[in-house]
Amino acid sequence: MPKETGRKLIASNKKARHEYLIEDTVEAGLVLTGTEVKSLRQGRASLVDGYATAYNGELYLEGVHIPEYSQGTWTNHSARRRRKLLLHREQIDKLVTKAEQAGHTIIPLSLYFKDGRAKVEIALAKGKKLHDKRQTLRERQDRREAERAMSAHLKRHG
């Protein structure tokens, strides 16, 4: 069987970029059980309520839902258990110090396989206020309208 190469996306947190202002991103490995990996290979996971917390100098991913493996037996994992993130000491220290500042949190952006290994892209994020969210939406709509007007103009006079 050939070895997997490249990046295969499992799940992404689409709401994250709307809810938070992303300041820094890091790729981290995950400590998983066998049934979790099998469940991920079926492409099933949800990052919606996920976040990272620090315990005893380590970073852990919490609230991420990896459903139980359908063919699993008593060895099956619990769907929302705490999973250890694999990062270098300097990365952990840097993220934890920044996350301790008011309004900052560490959230998962995407979960994927990279060369056969499960990886998670985590981000240091700052929660957006309601008016920031509205402004982001307004900017996006304005950009779309401008693009539509340009393409309509080009079609007429192109």
Side-chain angles (χ1 to χ4, degrees):
M1 196 164 135
K3 195 120 170 94
E4 263 188 78
T5 54
R7 185 173 156 155
K8 180 179 172 266
L9 187 69
I10 301 161
S12 66
N13 192 348
K14 291 179 181 77
K15 254 174 46 177
R17 293 187 193 277
H18 176 70
E19 300 278 330
Y20 298 95
L21 187 68
I22 308 299
E23 292 183 4
D24 191 16
T25 61
V26 178
E27 179 182 80
L30 278 164
V31 177
L32 300 171
T33 63
T35 53
E36 284 173 323
V37 175
K38 288 178 178 181
S39 188
L40 288 177
R41 291 223 184 273
Q42 293 177 337
R44 297 163 55 206
S46 167
L47 300 175
V48 176
D49 302 325
Y51 61 96
T53 48
Y55 290 102
N56 304 331
E58 300 283 357
L59 262 183
Y60 289 89
L61 194 61
E62 298 192 46
V64 170
H65 187 296
I66 300 176
E68 286 192 353
Y69 180 55
S70 50
Q71 277 86 50
T73 54
W74 56 272
T75 57
N76 236 334
H77 61 278
S78 61
R80 286 196 186 271
R81 76 180 189 91
R82 182 186 298 162
R83 297 169 180 93
K84 186 173 168 182
L85 291 171
L86 302 171
L87 288 161
H88 293 286
R89 169 66 38 218
E90 300 84 50
Q91 290 176 312
I92 293 173
D93 294 342
K94 187 176 133 192
L95 281 169
V96 169
T97 5
K98 286 185 178 175
E100 284 168 352
Q101 296 170 11
H104 284 77
T105 185
I106 302 169
I107 55 166
L109 293 179
S110 60
L111 187 60
Y112 52 91
F113 281 111
K114 183 177 175 184
D115 300 333
R117 300 203 189 295
K119 302 280 183 182
V120 63
E121 185 182 21
I122 56 174
L124 181 72
K126 189 177 169 125
K128 281 187 185 178
K129 304 278 188 292
L130 184 62
H131 62 87
D132 291 338
K133 291 180 196 173
R134 286 194 193 124
Q135 187 179 350
T136 308
L137 281 171
R138 198 173 304 121
E139 285 169 4
R140 195 181 309 146
Q141 284 175 332
D142 292 346
R143 206 171 25 253
R144 277 195 195 133
E145 284 172 21
E147 285 171 8
R148 280 193 197 113
M150 288 288 289
S151 66
H153 179 77
L154 288 173
K155 279 181 186 170
R156 269 187 256 125
H157 305 290

